[in-house]
Amino acid sequence: MLLHRLVAVSPMLLCACFCLVSFPPNLLQLLLPRVSYLPVVTDKVKKHFLKVMRPEDVEEMWFEYEGTPLKWHYPIGVLFDLHASNTVLPWNITVHFKNFPDQDLLHCPSNSIVEAHFMSSIKEADSLKHKSQVVNDMQKKDHKQLWMGLQNDKFDQFWAMNRKLMEYPTEDGGFRYIPFRIYQTLSDRPFIQKLFRPVSPDCNAHTLGDLLKEMYPDALTNDGEQKRYQVLIHGIEPLLETPLQWLSEHLSHPDNFLHICVVPVPTD
Amino acid sequence: MAERQADCGWKRHISDQLKLRDRVQRHTFEEIVQQYNRLLEKSDLQAVLTERYQTEKYDVQRGHEASSLDASRSDSLHQEMSQMRIRHQEELTELHKKRGELAQTVIELNNQIQQKDREIQSNEARMLEYQQQIAGLDGDCRDLRSSLQVRLHEEAHDGEVNTVRFSPGSRLLATGGMDRRVKLWEVVAGRCEAKGALTGSNAGITSIDFDSAGSYLLAASNDFASRIWTMDDYRLRHTLTGHSGKVLSARFLLDNARIVSGSYDRTLKLWDLRSKVCTSSVTPVPSCLLTCLHLENARNLKMAPLMTSSVTLHHSCYHSHHHDVDSVCVFSAQGFKCGADWTRVTFSPDGSYVAGGSADGALYVWNVLTGKLDRTLDRNHSSAINCVSWSPSGTYVASVEKGSRAILWSDM
């Protein structure tokens, strides 16, 4: 549980320096939580900049970093690890209020869209873990509690419900399949997501290394080679022998997925 | 064991990595971000305040002038500002003073309110006392009234009842009215039972008298005559004629052998019963009308209620054709008015009270010794009382009224 707290509660620092494209420079510094989503935590941004802009200039708000529009439906931590894990902090991202890039980003007019996306991730994860039994047994108010716990940064409220999603029958030794996504920077594919069991047929626990060997063998360093890639979860590199079941239980994001970022090792 | 160690190995690695990450990515910047945000808020607040201040105090023109950086202008600006500051200070001290005064007034008013409250409380307490007293007195009144029993007789006569008289034995009551009859009633245990009627008169009865034995009844009538009946058989025995006007009053003298009658023709006639003739005739009082004769001992005490609101007690001595009329004392009361020329009043048997009926139907009782009104008995007669009689036993008073009602009062 101690680890849970470390991961879920501690926000990552994102210092965002926002520059308006056509206005005098305006800065805002924020600490954003890793586990949340951009539209949920950036109300303050909107309010701040609306004060200095003309109302007719304001359309939908969107963020970009070094020319890449940031997908709001990824958790903030994932975005950071993927784009800027080895850059100097603070992480400067730019906010725009015009010219929404329809090809690259989904529209997000309100927080209820984020809530819908979040809940659908949870349900997808549970369908992999428990054939959707646990999430379907929950009542609507329990689902609401999960979302509210995330939105309002209430650790205990969230985990009261999330506990149920992390249980499994002891004879199975783990979940049915592990919900995970592997993000890569250098590929056009959005992410890798496949079925993978936590326990091998001969009852050995699968490790992180086993998963990578199966799904993304390039990420692993062969003997004798230089390390080319970093495998990041929540901004840290766990050892490859860490059991996958444990990782899924303890290092998943609030949407119950294990988001793994594979980034190239910095060259300088 | 190795597995355990390996377990701890990767777990420890993860926890170390997380702590490192936090240190690098969070703690170093947390402080700065907080301070920065605070500064931001303050500058926002500052901007809002200065904007408000400027729009209130200066116009846009003023703002433009200030930005022109003229030294003298900025001096005068300073002066104005300091003047305004002084004025505001003065206003402030004024307001403080006023506030102190108002607070003082509030305290005083509060005290007054408390005082008034106390007064109200004491008044209420007194009122409560009085109400209790009143309740007590009401109770007493009711007791008295209930002890004063009243026996009514509606329609004692057909028409006005002019006169009433108790028999000497207090057992019989005789009433006479405009229906030319004398009705007799027996008074038993506070009730009146009709016994009979005496006929023979040709006009209304004005006055009734019993002889001292109660065996004869004398009635004076408007037909200018007086008549005598015997009480055993209710038969008319004698008729005494001779007056030239209505006989207003007739009485037995103490020896029961003579009768004196007073009439509207302003004469007093003395009759002898054995010979049944008028033995003498006197004209005593030129101006006043003889309305009532009351004999006491050897003297004639006439009580002549004049048509005023008082009863005058006349003392007159009747002997040998002359008399003196002195007014002995005057009884009056508010509301007492004679109902008619022949309204009667009566002494109580012991002579200590005088009872008279008034035009408004109330019976007034005066104390002879003090001359003051003792009691007022109203609410039983509905019209003017014509005559009152006190029973010789003293227990009953009978009063009759114009409206043909006769009332017997007990426990007098």
Side-chain angles (χ1 to χ4, degrees):
Chain A
M1 273 319 245
L2 178 62
L3 268 176
H4 283 164
R5 282 207 98 100
L6 274 177
V7 164
V9 173
S10 58
M12 177 202 81
L13 176 75
L14 271 189
C15 264
C17 165
F18 301 112
C19 292
L20 287 181
V21 176
S22 54
F23 283 79
N26 238 308
L27 270 102
L28 207 54
Q29 287 189 349
L30 296 171
L31 267 182
L32 297 181
R34 270 182 170 274
V35 300
S36 189
Y37 299 88
L38 274 173
V40 176
V41 296
T42 46
D43 274 340
K44 200 167 157 196
V45 171
K46 201 165 187 179
K47 269 194 225 125
H48 177 88
F49 285 105
L50 279 178
K51 274 191 279 189
V52 292
M53 290 193 310
R54 292 193 304 252
E56 55 268 21
D57 283 344
V58 177
E59 291 167 10
E60 193 166 345
M61 182 170 69
W62 58 279
F63 301 92
E64 59 98 352
Y65 175 70
E66 292 195 345
T68 318
L70 296 174
K71 300 190 204 300
W72 61 264
H73 55 277
Y74 288 178
I76 297 176
V78 172
L79 289 171
F80 177 76
D81 289 340
L82 218 43
H83 295 282
S85 57
N86 290 309
T87 59
V88 173
L89 286 171
W91 185 32
N92 293 324
I93 60 180
T94 314
V95 66
H96 294 270
F97 288 92
K98 286 178 102 131
N99 305 321
F100 193 86
D102 287 318
Q103 294 85 349
D104 300 316
L105 292 184
L106 299 167
H107 282 281
C108 181
S110 77
N111 273 7
S112 52
I113 308 273
V114 184
E115 181 184 355
H117 167 74
F118 176 73
M119 290 313 299
S120 80
S121 295
I122 287 193
K123 288 181 185 160
E124 188 183 345
D126 197 56
S127 75
L128 288 170
K129 287 198 279 189
H130 302 116
K131 288 201 255 193
S132 295
Q133 269 165 5
V134 178
V135 82
N136 286 342
D137 278 341
M138 284 188 188
Q139 295 176 338
K140 189 159 158 71
K141 68 171 169 67
D142 300 333
H143 294 172
K144 200 73 183 172
Q145 190 174 339
L146 287 167
W147 166 248
M148 296 307 278
L150 175 72
Q151 188 185 36
N152 301 330
D153 211 19
K154 296 258 187 284
F155 179 80
D156 295 308
Q157 186 183 14
F158 177 79
W159 268 99
M161 278 300 133
N162 204 37
R163 223 173 5 93
K164 297 188 195 162
L165 292 166
M166 292 301 176
E167 290 166 348
Y168 57 89
T170 37
E171 60 272 19
D172 291 349
F175 300 135
R176 192 152 177 269
Y177 295 108
I178 299 289
F180 69 91
R181 282 181 187 154
I182 302 180
Y183 300 86
Q184 315 149 70
T185 43
L186 302 178
S187 159
D188 285 335
R189 297 166 72 187
F191 48 76
I192 303 171
Q193 180 179 341
K194 289 193 189 152
L195 295 176
F196 193 79
R197 290 195 187 273
V199 182
S200 68
D202 44 353
C203 294
N204 284 332
H206 278 148
T207 65
L208 180 59
D210 296 333
L211 175 70
L212 287 172
K213 209 174 354 179
E214 180 79 25
M215 302 293 163
Y216 193 6
D218 284 346
L220 298 168
T221 321
N222 300 324
D223 297 331
E225 283 182 347
Q226 257 201 326
K227 189 158 171 231
R228 281 174 297 149
Y229 292 104
Q230 276 180 314
V231 176
L232 294 170
I233 303 179
H234 282 291
I236 60 167
E237 280 190 81
L239 296 176
L240 290 175
E241 57 258 34
T242 318
L244 199 58
Q245 172 65 29
W246 188 94
L247 280 175
S248 178
E249 279 175 54
H250 295 91
L251 284 187
S252 293
H253 276 255
D255 61 357
N256 278 214
F257 268 89
L258 197 57
H259 296 279
I260 305 170
C261 299
V262 176
V263 294
V265 166
T267 46
D268 50 1
Chain B
M1 204 53 206
E3 202 180 279
R4 248 230 116 66
Q5 290 219 334
D7 258 8
C8 296
W10 53 258
K11 256 196 210 172
R12 215 177 327 119
H13 171 83
I14 287 182
S15 118
D16 288 343
Q17 286 275 295
L18 283 171
K19 288 199 187 112
L20 177 65
R21 176 199 82 177
D22 277 351
R23 225 185 13 253
V24 167
Q25 293 181 350
R26 175 183 172 181
H27 297 298
T28 38
F29 297 96
E30 205 169 4
E31 185 74 23
I32 291 182
V33 170
Q34 278 177 7
Q35 297 294 346
Y36 176 83
N37 284 332
R38 225 175 287 157
L39 274 176
L40 206 60
E41 277 173 39
K42 277 200 189 151
S43 86
D44 280 345
L45 193 61
Q46 175 102 357
V48 167
L49 282 178
T50 44
E51 199 183 307
R52 214 186 295 163
Y53 181 65
Q54 283 191 352
T55 53
E56 278 173 10
K57 291 293 176 189
Y58 303 95
D59 355 309
V60 180
Q61 232 183 1
R62 191 88 217 155
H64 282 186
E65 282 181 46
S67 69
S68 70
L69 293 176
D70 199 350
S72 61
R73 284 247 169 76
S74 77
D75 264 346
S76 65
L77 185 66
H78 267 292
Q79 268 191 17
E80 254 201 52
M81 277 180 66
S82 56
Q83 273 178 12
M84 287 198 86
R85 209 181 316 136
I86 291 176
R87 247 181 296 154
H88 285 161
Q89 281 292 99
E90 288 173 6
E91 261 189 66
L92 195 62
T93 40
E94 264 306 315
L95 288 172
H96 274 304
K97 220 193 316 172
K98 216 177 282 184
R99 193 182 66 167
E101 286 171 22
L102 286 174
Q104 188 62 32
T105 338
V106 164
I107 292 176
E108 282 174 26
L109 287 173
N110 271 344
N111 285 343
Q112 282 184 16
I113 286 176
Q114 281 180 6
Q115 210 181 351
K116 292 283 184 275
D117 277 337
R118 277 195 292 261
E119 279 178 30
I120 286 175
Q121 273 181 8
S122 66
N123 281 348
E124 276 179 11
R126 251 186 292 153
M127 253 195 342
L128 207 61
E129 254 186 67
Y130 290 153
Q131 276 176 353
Q132 284 173 353
Q133 280 185 14
I134 287 174
L137 288 172
D138 268 338
D140 287 342
C141 249
R142 254 179 277 129
D143 289 338
L144 277 175
R145 218 173 270 130
S146 62
S147 69
L148 199 60
Q149 292 163 39
V150 163
R151 290 291 170 263
L152 274 186
H153 265 278
E154 299 279 349
E155 311 271 336
H157 283 263
D158 300 325
E160 276 188 47
V161 186
N162 289 332
T163 174
V164 63
R165 177 82 49 193
F166 275 97
S167 71
S170 298
R171 264 187 50 247
L172 278 181
L173 190 63
T175 55
M178 295 305 283
D179 61 353
R180 301 166 295 159
R181 268 196 276 275
V182 176
K183 288 220 172 116
L184 293 168
W185 314 82
E186 182 158 349
V187 179
V188 165
R191 287 195 326 271
C192 285
E193 292 173 0
K195 267 208 98 184
L198 303 173
T199 52
S201 174
N202 298 322
I205 307 288
T206 52
S207 156
I208 298 179
D209 193 31
F210 285 92
D211 71 336
S212 56
S215 36
Y216 291 100
L217 186 144
L218 169 64
S221 159
N222 281 339
D223 64 356
F224 308 177
S226 321
R227 289 177 181 75
I228 298 179
W229 289 260
T230 39
M231 288 315 293
D232 315 324
D233 50 10
Y234 300 167
R235 275 179 53 194
L236 177 64
R237 291 288 164 180
H238 311 292
T239 307
L240 307 168
T241 52
H243 277 293
S244 50
K246 299 186 204 171
V247 187
L248 297 174
S249 176
R251 289 279 177 275
F252 280 101
L253 287 185
L254 278 178
D255 55 9
N256 291 341
R258 286 175 298 166
I259 287 171
V260 60
S261 66
S263 154
Y264 198 73
D265 63 2
R266 302 211 204 133
T267 58
L268 266 178
K269 284 191 185 322
L270 194 63
W271 310 79
D272 182 84
L273 273 183
R274 282 184 292 266
S275 52
K276 304 186 191 54
V277 290
C278 169
T279 49
S280 67
S281 172
V282 194
T283 310
V285 182
S287 53
C288 98
L289 301 167
L290 293 172
T291 58
C292 175
L293 293 173
H294 187 102
L295 290 169
E296 185 162 314
N297 295 330
R299 285 179 292 182
N300 247 341
L301 281 173
K302 299 181 215 136
M303 292 172 21
L306 309 170
M307 284 290 279
T308 57
S309 57
S310 66
V311 172
T312 318
L313 188 60
H314 292 269
H315 177 185
S316 96
C317 196
Y318 177 69
H319 261 316
S320 62
H321 304 267
H322 75 270
H323 66 282
D324 296 308
V325 179
D326 304 312
S327 193
V328 173
C329 93
V330 178
F331 297 107
S332 65
Q334 235 186 351
F336 178 80
K337 258 216 287 252
C338 292
D341 288 347
W342 52 83
T343 305
R344 313 284 162 83
V345 296
T346 178
F347 274 106
S348 68
D350 56 2
S352 47
Y353 291 98
V354 167
S358 121
D360 58 8
L363 189 66
Y364 291 82
V365 179
W366 289 270
N367 186 315
V368 172
L369 297 170
T370 63
K372 288 219 184 15
L373 182 64
D374 187 69
R375 256 181 294 190
T376 312
L377 304 168
D378 50 9
R379 291 206 267 121
N380 283 93
H381 279 289
S382 50
S383 53
I385 296 183
N386 274 342
C387 185
V388 179
S389 174
W390 211 304
S391 73
S393 65
T395 9
Y396 299 107
V397 168
S399 56
V400 293
E401 63 167 46
K402 268 196 166 101
S404 75
R405 195 189 286 183
I407 295 190
L408 181 70
W409 308 83
S410 51
D411 294 333
M412 295 299 281

